[in-house]
Every structure is written in C-alpha cells, then in structure tokens.
C-alpha cells in the first residue's frame, strides 16, 4: 500500500482539481484520491511516477515533498550554497534550507536529491525512531510543554506526544531525548515494544521486518505518515473582527509544513491542514498577538468553547452594566438640558471628577480595546479595537483638555464628551455580549450530533453483561443494546430484531427495521427490542465520527464570497482611519465655528460607526448554521465552496442503478433457447457471475440459490465494462452481457427479439447468455424504482431544474424506467468511462450540473460535474468522490441539499449586503454629509449603538437558517404512504 502526497502547481481552480482527481482515479491500483488546488493525496498500489506523469499530461505540475535533516552546514554561506543548488535545479519546485534541515518539493527522486547534497560536501544523517512511555503529564499543558521542548531540540525531525506516550524520530541518542523530557519534570522510559530501526533520513522507506514487507513511514508531529494532509483544529481567543482573521491566517500560513488554513470568526477556531508541528502553530499565533490552544477532539473543543463563550458573555455583560451605569446618567444630563460646557471653576472641578471616573472606566471596562489596539499597532496592523480605542480615547483626551485649560479654546468649543466615551464602551460591549450568546447557538446541529454518542457501552463477556466506558470498547467485542439505548459504535447484529431511529443521522423520520445481519450505526436509538451485535468500527472510524468531522471541516471552510469579504476587510480599517483623518481636516479648515468641536465629533463618529465585525461575521455565521442544518437533513457538505456552487445548479443528472432505483435488482423472467432449460441456464450464468462485482450479478446468483442450484467453478473469467463478462464453466465457453458483447462475438440474437422487447417495456434489463457461440437464453433483471424517487423528481422539476437520466443500460429499458419516473431527457448506452464526457458535453451548453451517483463507478462523472452528490450510507468512497453526500438513500436529499444551499447563499448575501450598505451609508452620515440639509451631526453615542446593532443583526439573521425547512410536501406524503 502506497500513500503519496504530491504538491501541485498551475492548478488554479476546483474544476482543474476535479479533472486531476478523475484522471488519477482511473489509474490502475489507485484506491482513493483527494485533490485540492495545492496538492493531491493518493492511496493504493501504484507507481508514484505514474501519478506524476498523469498530472503532467493534463498540463499541470506535480512532485514529491521532502523533509530531510542536514549535517555539516556550519554557516550562512553553507546554507546559501545548498539553497542556490536546489533553486537552480529544474526538478525542484521549492526549497527551504537551514543549517539542520531541508524542506523541499519537486519531482527529483529522493536518492538523487541526497546525491546532490552530498556532492556539495554535506551529509544527511541517519534517523532513529523511539517509542517512549511517559508519566507525570496530567493535562494538555504538560503535553504542550513537552512538544515545545522537542520542537526546539536540534536533530528531532518529527514527534507525537500524548499524556502516556511519545514517538520521536531523531538523529539524537535515545538517552538524550529521555533526559530532555525528564529535565522538564516528567518521567520517560523506553516503551516495551521499541522500533528504533535506523533509516536513511531522505528515504520514505525503513528497514523491513521479517514478517512485513511494507516499509514503515516516518511520522509527522501529529503522528501521521509524513506528507499526509493532517487536519488540526485550534481554539482561538483575542480575535474581534475580520482584520484579526486575516492576521491569524497569515501567521499560521507562515509556519513550515502548513498547507492551508481556514479561520472561522464565528466559532473562533482555526482548521489547519499539513504536517506542521502544533507547537510551532501555537507560537506563530501568539507572536501575532492572539492566543490559541490545540483542540484534541470535538467534545473537548465544544466544552472549551462553551466555557469561553460563557466567560466572555458574563464578562461583557458585567462591563456593559458598569459602563452604561456611568454613561447613562451623563447622557441623560445632557439630553434633558444639563450644561456640559466648562464656564467656571466649579465646572472644572465637577467635570474633572467625571473625567477621572471615565478614565478608570477606560482602564478597566475598556482595557482590552486599548491592549488589543496596541498589540495590533506593534504588528503593523489595525483592527476594530483600533477604531474603538481611537474614538473613545480622542473623546476623553479632548474633554480632559477642555477641563484642564478651557481658556485655550473659544467658548463654543468648551464642550466635554465624557458621556460619549462611557456610552460607546457600554453599547459596544453589550453588543459583544449579545453576539457571544447568539454565536453559542450556531453549532447546535454539530452539538446534537456529538450528544448522540453515549459515554458507556454494555459488553457481553462469557455470558455476563457489564457496563464499561466507551473508550474501552474494542473491535470484535460483543455488545448488548437495550431498548431505548443509543448505539455506541458501528457493528453488525448477531441476535434480535428491533426498530432503530436513525433520524438524527439520516434525516429519515421512519424507524428502520433491523434484524440479524443488518448494520447498526453509532448514535442511532434502539426503540423496542434487545439486540446483540459485534463492534466493527469504533472511535473515529464510526459513521457518526466521520459525519462530525465532515461537518466540522465544512463549517470551517470558506466560499468565494467569504474570501471576497476577507480581501475587503484587510484594507477596511486602514481606509476608515484615512477617511476619519480627511473628515477631521475638512471640518477643521472648512467647517463652521467651533471647528475643533465639529472636527472631533465627526472623526470620532466615523471611527466608531465603521465596524468591520459585521463584515467578518457575515459569511462564516451563515456557513456554520447552514452546514449544520444540512447535516440534520442527512446532507453532508464537504466544503463551503460546494455550498455556494450548488446554489446555482440548474441541471441534475441521475445515475439509474442504485440512485433512481432501489439498487437491489432481481431476476423477473428467463427465456431458454438452443435446447437449454432454466436450471442449466441459471447454473451456467450464476457460476460465471459469482466472479463479478456488478450489481446485476447478485440478482442472477440469488436466483440460482433460490432454485437450490449448485454453482460450478469458473475459469478464464474476464470482465469487459460496458459489455459483460466471459469465461469457462463445465468446459463450455460462456458469454453473459448485452447486445454489444453478443455482436462482438457474432452471436445471433434474432430468437430473443420478442422477449427483449417485452423485458424492455417492463423496464427490465435484458441479459443475453451464449454458450459455445450459440444463444442459450435471455435473463430479464429488474431493479425497481425507489418508492420516493417519483415524488423527489417532481420536487426538482417544480424547482425549475432539468432532470436527466444517464445510464449504461440499453435505450429501451432506460426509457421505460424514465417514463415511470417522469424523466423526459434520457442518455442511455453510455459506457462507464464515457459518463464524464457526457457531463462535460452538457456543461459546454452552459449548464450548471449536479451529478448524482453511487460514488464508486460514477467517480469520474461526479468529479467532472460542478457538484457531485453521492448517494448511499456515507461510505468512504462515496464521501471522497463527491462534494455532497446524502446519508439516507433517498433522492429527496437532492432537492433538500439544493434548497438548503440556495437558502444559505441567500442568507450570506443578505448579511454581506447589510454589512456593506451599513458602512456605505453609515460612514458618510457620520462624516457629516447631511449637515448642510439638517444642521445636525450624528452623535458618537448613536454610532456606537448602531455599530453594536450591526453585528447583532448579522448573527440573528444567520440564525434564521436554523428555522429553514425544505419544501417537502410531496416527500412527507410519500413517507406517510410508506409508513401506512
């Protein structure tokens, strides 16, 4: 088994990536492929060079990724010598060189890269991999401390650390590593099973053991094979606006080994892909002026974020109460006629005391605004905190100047604005509190999914039942599921029968009847009977865990609209500061007297009202809620970009077998010719089909078993995709397939023409059987349409979608099925490798295409389509081959997914429109554009309230998606009919 990650160049969009994925999927031996615009990850038994050549033939560039230790480089000149040699080599894409390590990518084979380094007079030292047992590490901070020590130690290539175990790959002696950990106050010792085999640092293979010829791969810091695309999630704090998002993303992307990152302002998380060490990422975020912590699992992340949200909410509510308590009476004093001018000594003393109180308020309640603004200034950036600090600080400084030296200012300018500083702090902080409370509801769907997994399981050992923690369950254990209990892990039923509620996973409201041999999924609920089942998939391998991971990744991803907002946000705050300065200058030089007062009011109001918070929250809030809502309906969305593209789909192409139909074909009739009887015909056909994986093969084999016929050995089996199969059974040459196969072997089909017409009219697939070159029989296999497919297709057509059926079946059968389903446009007789071409042809007509298939045979077509939608039970192949996966096997998931996509995109646009229009109108009004017509200026206090209201509006609007329900009247009727 080979796992290969190839860096890509010249891949500009996801359509390019989809073309690469389709080409790689077709390579012999490739089992799974994951491609984005930056890299391709493949698994299987294939030659790496074949993958590189395939990508190159498509017009793109691909290569290997190297992470090698270096020895003998003593100074900067040595580093430059190696760097120049690698940069000048045509087969090296990128090279980052230090005195001790090389991080590079290219197409140059590693042995040749080593030779190149050694020819320069340097060397690549050998590695040893150590497994250590640890004790004394009681929390995540202890783990992080050990990780930080290992990251700083020279000669350590990669490592993974938990509370009880460490894997370290290094050129240092084992004793040195143990001493390093023990110096930190912990205990380390060699693990009982040690894997300290020395290996070449450059090679991706290690010395083979006596029992396994598969080479061990070096581990990355996250404990995965080097070069694999590991996802790490971090919980962030200190972020306040979209400018912060941009800063954090830049900091993370600067860490070596990071392939991509997506920072979600709504959830305050960062999802990082690559093989970078977590300690380096944490340090990069800290250096940028923010805080981060590694999220070990979804439950920990959820608990930590809930605690953070609750803490932030309580703190903001407390601060808002204090600030409004001070600012409210002051503002009421001014509104109801109280003097806010400094005209006497008594006024100086009284307002001076108010100034001190306000200063204390700025230093306590508003401290974080000024601290964050200072951090941003040190990192040469500006954020929302910068605007608030400048606005409130300017109001306080001007007011203090009036109090201390009123005689320097004309009488009209001796107005104080202490109430503005207090009220702005109070209103903005209150807005943040309400925003934090609303944010905590956005991931409700994901939290409900995590709540599905029970903390314990009942295992049956030697006839005795005992309850154990879920972490103690191992594959192969026999578990007991009592009525009303949640299924703890995926498995297969051994004994019993019951109805299982799978609605939270699949969106299907009707409980499924499960009996011995059926599959159970973690998180589903047993309604009635007691079941005995075998644990087969545990932990992260369960279907529930995979769904949670997909939802988490999708919620952290960004559509094109979000990237547009991020681009604007990066220049938004500096632009606002420039506008505020220009506004101040215009009012100072051209405004009426007292110009200094007008200058202060307008500049402060511009700074306060122009908040980038709403802009930064607009898309991530919608994506988070929309993806979670889709998961509740059994629709798994791979990334937010797919969500945006799906909203524009106007054509849906449906595969027939297993998509439009039940996927459980059955033999409905048979005709015999040339002296053969039904028993002989079925024996020969089923004996040959037992070597086939085609869905129709199972129907023929099952029919033979139902007749109690014995299957004979077959030889020289050969499958021809799109035609049929051939081989030898009982000394006879047997052909089994469609008309194309028979024509290829010149078999006369004229005796079977009437039966062929009858089968096609019934919507059955005619399968011809020829023995020794003579037609022996015709088998009619029918795969009935799913009970809800017709109503689902009607829903799609009502939505204005063009529905097309694409199948390899003969036109007569395909048209019969299409007529039953209500589909007018049929493309039949297409070979598996031609489906992608048909999809491309339809796209060339200007259509935005969604391809719906089973995710295995239809993988190239799914990749070619604008949106690939995989049907089925969420298998690995289906999830990997499509952007959307329908967990429940129902076509109603397609209109559900498309309607949810449209609703989410509409919500995003509403939020962005609100944020843009708010700032487009608010800033000119704050600058005083209405003053010539009204004679009044916008108060900074009103600006502060409007700024807080904008963020609350965006968050509230995004949460409306939680109430969205797809138009499913026909679906509900179909379900009710089925239930009855």
């Amino acid at each position: 088994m080979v796992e290969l990650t190839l860096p890509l160049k010249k891949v500009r969009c996801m359509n390019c990536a989809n073309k690469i994925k389709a080409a790689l999927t077709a390579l012999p031996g490739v089992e799974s492929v994951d491609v984005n615009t930056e890299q391709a990850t493949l698994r299987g038994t294939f030659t790496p060079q074949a993958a590189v050549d395939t990508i190159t033939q498509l017009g793109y560039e691909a290569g290997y990724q190297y992470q090698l230790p270096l020895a003998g480089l003593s100074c900067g000149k040595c580093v430059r010598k190696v760097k120049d040699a690698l940069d000048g080599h045509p087969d090296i894409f990128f090279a980052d060189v230090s005195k001790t390590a090389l991080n590079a990518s290219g197409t140059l084979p590693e042995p040749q890269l080593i030779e190149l380094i050694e020819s320069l007079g340097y060397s690549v030292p050998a590695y040893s991999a150590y497994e250590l047992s640890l004790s004394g590490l009681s929390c995540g901070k202890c783990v992080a401390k050990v990780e930080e020590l290992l990251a700083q130690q020279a000669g350590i290539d990669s490592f993974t650390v938990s509370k009880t175990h460490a894997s370290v790959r290094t050129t240092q002696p084992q004793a040195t590593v143990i001493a390093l950990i023990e110096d930190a106050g912990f205990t380390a010792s060699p693990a009982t099973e040690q894997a300290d085999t020395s290996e070449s640092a450059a090679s991706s293979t290690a010395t083979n053991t006596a029992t396994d010829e598969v080479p061990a791969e070096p581990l990355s810091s996250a404990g995965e094979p080097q070069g694999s695309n590991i996802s790490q999630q971090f919980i962030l704090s200190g972020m306040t606006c979209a400018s912060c998002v941009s800063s954090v993303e830049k900091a993370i992307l600067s860490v070596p080994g990071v392939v991509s990152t997506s920072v979600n302002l709504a959830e305050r998380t960062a999802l990082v892909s690559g093989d970078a060490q977590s300690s380096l990422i944490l340090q990069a975020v800290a250096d940028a002026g923010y805080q981060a912590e590694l999220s070990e699992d979804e439950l920990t992340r959820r608990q930590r974020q809930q605690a953070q949200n609750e803490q932030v909410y309580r703190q903001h509510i407390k601060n808002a109460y204090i600030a409004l308590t001070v600012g409210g009476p002051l503002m009421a004093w001014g509104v109801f006629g109280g003097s806010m001018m400094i005209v006497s000594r008594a006024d100086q003393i009284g307002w001076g005391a108010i100034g001190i109180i306000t200063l204390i308020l700025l230093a306590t309640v508003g401290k974080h605004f000024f601290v964050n603004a200072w951090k941003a200034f040190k990192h040469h950036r500006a954020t929302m905190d910068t605007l608030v600090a400048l606005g409130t600080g300017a109001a306080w400084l001007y007011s203090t100047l009036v109090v201390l030296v009123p005689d320097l200012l004309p009488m009209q300018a001796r107005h104080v604005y202490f109430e503005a500083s207090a009220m702005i702090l109070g209103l903005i902080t209150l807005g943040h509190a309400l925003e934090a409370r609303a944010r905590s509801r956005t991931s409700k769907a994901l939290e409900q999914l995590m709540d599905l997994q029970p903390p314990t399981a009942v295992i049956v050992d030697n006839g005795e039942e005992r309850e154990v923690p879920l972490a103690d369950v191992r594959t192969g254990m026999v578990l007991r599921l009592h009525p009303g209990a949640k299924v703890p892990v995926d498995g297969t039923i051994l004994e019993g029968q019951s109805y299982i509620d799978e609605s939270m996973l699949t969106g299907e409201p009707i409980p499924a009847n499960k009996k011995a041999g059926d599959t159970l999924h973690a998180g589903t609920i047993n309604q009635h009977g007691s079941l005995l089942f075998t644990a087969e998939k545990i932990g992260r391998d369960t279907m529930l865990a995979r769904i949670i991971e997909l939802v988490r990744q999708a919620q952290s991803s960004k559509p094109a609209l979000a990237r547009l907002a991020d681009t604007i946000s990066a220049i938004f705050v500096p632009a606002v500061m420039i506008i505020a300065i220009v506004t101040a200058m215009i009012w100072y030089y051209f405004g009426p007297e007292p110009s200094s007062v007008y200058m202060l009011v307008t500049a402060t109001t511009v700074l306060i009202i122009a908040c980038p918070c709403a802009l930064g929250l607009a898309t991530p809030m919608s994506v988070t809620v929309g993806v979670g809502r889709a998961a509740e309906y059994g629709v798994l969305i791979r990334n937010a970009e797919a969500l945006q593209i799906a909203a524009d789909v106007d054509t849906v192409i449906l595969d027939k077998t297993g998509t439009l139909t039940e996927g459980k074909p059955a033999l409905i009739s048979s005709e015999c010719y040339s002296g053969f009887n039904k028993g002989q015909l079925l024996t020969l056909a089923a004996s040959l089909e037992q070597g086939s994986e085609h869905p129709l093969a199972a129907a023929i084999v099952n029919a033979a078993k139902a007749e109690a016929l014995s299957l004979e050995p077959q030889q020289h089996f050969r499958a021809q995709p799109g035609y049929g199969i051939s081989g030898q059974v009982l000394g006879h040459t047997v052909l089994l397939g469609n008309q194309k196969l028979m024509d290829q072997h010149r078999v006369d089909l004229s005796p079977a023409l009437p039966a062929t017409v009858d089968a096609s009219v019934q919507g059955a697939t005619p399968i011809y059987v020829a023995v020794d070159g003579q037609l022996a029989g015709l088998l009619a296999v029918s795969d009935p349409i799913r009970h809800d497919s017709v109503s689902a297709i009607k829903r799609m057509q009502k939505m204005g979608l063009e529905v097309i059926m694409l199948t390899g079946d003969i036109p007569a059968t395909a048209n019969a099925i299409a007529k039953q389903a209500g589909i007018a446009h049929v493309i039949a007789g297409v070979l598996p490798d031609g489906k992608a071409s048909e999809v491309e042809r339809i796209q060339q007509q200007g259509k935005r295409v969604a391809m719906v298939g089973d995710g295995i045979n239809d993988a190239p077509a799914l990749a070619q389509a604008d949106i690939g939608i995989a049907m089925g039970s969420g298998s690995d192949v289906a999830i990997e081959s499509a952007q959307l996966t329908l967990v429940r096997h129902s076509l109603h998931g397609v209109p559900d997914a498309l309607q949810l996509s449209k609703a989410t995109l509409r919500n995003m646009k509403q939020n962005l429109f609100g944020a843009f229009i708010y700032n487009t109108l608010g800033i000119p009004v704050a600058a005083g554009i209405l003053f010539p017509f009204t004679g009044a200026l916008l108060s900074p206090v009103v600006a502060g309230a409007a700024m807080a209201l904008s963020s609350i509006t965006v968050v509230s609007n995004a949460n409306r998606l939680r109430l969205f329900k797809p138009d499913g009247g026909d679906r509900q009727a179909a379900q009710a009919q089925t239930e009855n």
Side-chain angles (χ1 to χ4, degrees), residues 677-701:
N677 58 41
K678 183 178 180 180
Q680 293 171 327
L681 182 66
L682 276 180
T683 298
L684 292 172
S687 298
L688 186 61
E689 284 283 26
Q690 63 183 327
S692 173
E693 296 180 355
H694 195 279
L696 300 182
I700 297 173
V701 172

Side-chain angles (χ1 to χ4, degrees), residues 434-472:
L434 297 177
E435 176 194 320
R437 175 55 60 89
R439 275 203 325 266
S440 65
R441 299 198 302 267
T442 59
S443 293
K444 181 181 178 182
L446 190 58
E447 292 175 2
Q448 287 176 333
L449 284 173
M450 289 187 287
D451 285 338
L452 289 177
Q453 193 140 29
T456 61
V458 177
I459 66 172
V460 179
D461 189 9
N462 294 326
E464 296 184 0
E465 298 182 6
R466 55 190 177 92
E467 190 171 6
V468 299
L470 189 62
D472 292 345

Side-chain angles (χ1 to χ4, degrees), residues 318-329:
K318 174 185 174 183
N319 289 342
Y321 177 79
I322 295 172
L324 294 176
T325 300
V326 173

Side-chain angles (χ1 to χ4, degrees), residues 515-664:
K515 55 186 180 300
D518 290 339
T519 301
L520 295 175
H521 293 296
T524 56
I525 303 173
N526 181 25
Q527 291 193 332
H528 301 296
S530 177
L531 299 176
L532 205 63
F533 71 102
T534 304
E536 293 179 347
K537 293 183 179 180
I538 62 175
R540 294 186 177 183
D541 294 330
T542 65
M543 178 180 170
L544 175 62
R546 296 202 311 271
I547 290 175
I548 290 173
E549 177 67 14
L550 276 177
V551 172
R552 178 177 66 87
Q553 290 182 359
Q555 288 182 336
S556 299
S557 63
K558 293 183 179 181
L561 278 177
R563 291 192 288 271
L564 171 64
D566 288 348
T567 301
I568 295 173
S569 299
I571 60 173
F572 182 80
V573 174
V576 168
M577 295 174 67
I578 294 173
I579 292 172
I581 293 172
V582 172
T583 299
M585 293 176 63
I586 291 174
W587 280 98
Y588 184 78
Y589 288 109
F590 303 104
E593 291 296 333
S595 59
S596 58
V597 171
Y598 289 111
M599 175 189 72
L600 172 70
V601 171
T602 53
T604 300
T605 306
V606 167
L607 290 172
I608 294 302
I609 202 170
C611 171
C613 288
L615 194 59
L617 289 169
T619 53
M621 289 294 295
S622 298
V623 169
T624 299
V625 179
V627 169
R629 187 64 173 156
E632 293 180 17
Y633 280 90
V635 179
L636 301 184
I637 298 172
R638 193 171 185 83
N639 54 55
E641 186 175 0
L643 194 71
Q644 183 173 336
I645 296 173
D648 296 327
V649 164
D650 55 25
T651 303
V652 177
I653 301 177
L654 302 175
D655 177 43
K656 182 178 76 71
T657 304
T659 300
L660 187 62
T661 62
E662 291 280 359
K664 299 176 181 178

